Amino acid sequence: MNNSDLRNKIEQVGKEIIEEKGYLSSIDVLLKLEYLSEKDYENWRFGKIEYLEKVCGVNLKKLSTINKSIKEISKEWNLKKSWTAYNKFGKE
């Protein structure tokens, strides 16, 4: 999938995510695009995986392109930025 097709796909899934959840996040986009599995996401949240890039189904360049596209689309749609902390699940 080239970058133009990828951006169109991100716009499509972005609209679906916003309708469903009311906000847009990179994690949700990666899950919806199936570049990140639900199991790998949960393993990351439980601390079994150090960083998400390790288990994503695309290389770092593509991940960077995805995040850049999300940022551009969010700006076009006048979405507000917010910082999100992803805390580990379970007890340590």
Side-chain angles (χ1 to χ4, degrees), residues 17-91:
I17 293 168
I18 289 173
E19 284 180 24
E20 182 181 315
K21 294 187 170 190
Y23 62 89
L24 183 62
S25 73
S26 296
I27 297 287
D28 292 327
V29 172
L30 291 172
L31 287 167
K32 199 83 154 174
L33 291 173
E34 297 180 354
Y35 291 146
L36 177 65
S37 73
E38 192 69 42
K39 181 168 176 41
D40 286 336
Y41 171 68
E42 287 178 16
N43 284 336
W44 174 67
R45 290 296 302 264
F46 278 106
K48 295 177 184 175
I49 297 171
E50 281 187 76
Y51 47 92
L52 282 178
E53 292 88 346
K54 191 173 188 177
V55 293
C56 283
V58 291
N59 61 33
L60 290 176
K61 184 174 181 184
K62 190 65 79 172
L63 285 174
S64 179
T65 301
I66 291 167
N67 281 323
K68 183 180 174 187
S69 295
I70 292 169
K71 186 175 182 179
E72 291 170 356
I73 291 165
S74 297
K75 191 172 184 178
E76 289 170 14
W77 293 349
N78 296 316
L79 300 177
K80 294 180 185 177
K81 289 183 188 179
S82 67
W83 186 82
T84 303
Y86 288 96
N87 299 319
K88 288 183 183 178
F89 291 152
K91 296 182 180 180

